[in-house]
Amino acid sequence: AEAMGNNRVAMRLADVLKSAPASPCNASQRCGLSEKYQTSNPVLLKALALMEDHQETPLAIRDITAFVGRSTRQLERLFLTHLGLSPKRFYEGIRVRRAHWMIVHSEFPSTEIALMCGFASYSTFAKAFARQFGINPRAVRSKVQLSRLEAAE
């Protein structure tokens, strides 16, 4: 039964992502990572590709470092130098931005979006979201719903 529920959620998510507005770098259309993240460092690009491919079930940073063949400290230095954040915070940001897009463009409950974006709980997600955007995810959803109502009038 759980597998059927997960399959249903995956199918709904695929439908939502297919309906994403066209832009060079949105949640459904992957532009070149070097353009998206403004880096040509091959180690960083390999790590970023792995992070983007594992948003729903995030990898441990140690697994990413093993995959790219660098130590945790080396990867941290690369991220801080080229992207301004630690790998952990940057990875969280990728997942939070995906969640923001889903809150704005889908009707999934915020708690379900949190799980779809790899957060263990809504509380953890809400803290990360507020850190990134300075607002609670439910407040964003409320603003989106209000603007839709006003546009319909």
Side-chain angles (χ1 to χ4, degrees), residues 109-136:
S110 295
T111 52
E112 201 169 324
I113 290 172
L115 296 175
M116 289 178 187
C117 294
F119 292 92
S121 69
Y122 177 79
S123 174
T124 304
F125 164 63
K127 287 175 188 171
F129 193 96
R131 190 171 32 250
Q132 176 94 18
F133 297 109
I135 189 171
N136 180 293

Side-chain angles (χ1 to χ4, degrees), residues 92-113:
E92 178 182 88
I94 290 171
R95 294 169 26 236
V96 167
R97 285 187 299 278
R98 176 182 180 216
H100 183 277
W101 187 91
M102 291 176 71
I103 286 169
V104 171
H105 296 96
S106 80
E107 296 301 320
F108 287 114
S110 295
T111 52
E112 201 169 324
I113 290 172

Side-chain angles (χ1 to χ4, degrees), residues 13-143:
L13 176 58
D15 289 341
V16 168
L17 293 177
K18 278 188 241 172
S19 67
S23 80
C25 296
N26 69 27
S28 72
Q29 296 175 326
R30 197 170 184 165
C31 69
L33 289 178
S34 61
E35 292 85 17
K36 184 174 184 178
Y37 294 113
Q38 302 293 298
T39 185
S40 60
N41 183 290
V43 174
L44 268 180
L45 292 172
K46 197 172 180 182
L48 291 166
L50 204 57
M51 290 175 173
E52 289 220 344
D53 289 343
H54 292 88
Q55 292 181 48
E56 191 168 328
T57 52
L59 301 170
I61 299 302
R62 71 178 174 278
D63 295 332
I64 296 170
T65 60
F67 183 79
V68 300
R70 296 292 190 271
S71 70
T72 301
R73 184 66 192 124
Q74 288 172 321
L75 193 65
E76 284 175 356
R77 268 187 257 128
L78 276 174
F79 268 79
L80 288 169
T81 300
H82 293 273
L83 303 170
L85 292 171
S86 71
K88 181 180 178 182
R89 282 285 183 239
F90 201 86
Y91 199 2
E92 178 182 88
I94 290 171
R95 294 169 26 236
V96 167
R97 285 187 299 278
R98 176 182 180 216
H100 183 277
W101 187 91
M102 291 176 71
I103 286 169
V104 171
H105 296 96
S106 80
E107 296 301 320
F108 287 114
S110 295
T111 52
E112 201 169 324
I113 290 172
L115 296 175
M116 289 178 187
C117 294
F119 292 92
S121 69
Y122 177 79
S123 174
T124 304
F125 164 63
K127 287 175 188 171
F129 193 96
R131 190 171 32 250
Q132 176 94 18
F133 297 109
I135 189 171
N136 180 293
R138 290 192 172 130
V140 171
R141 173 63 55 81
S142 294
K143 286 183 178 189

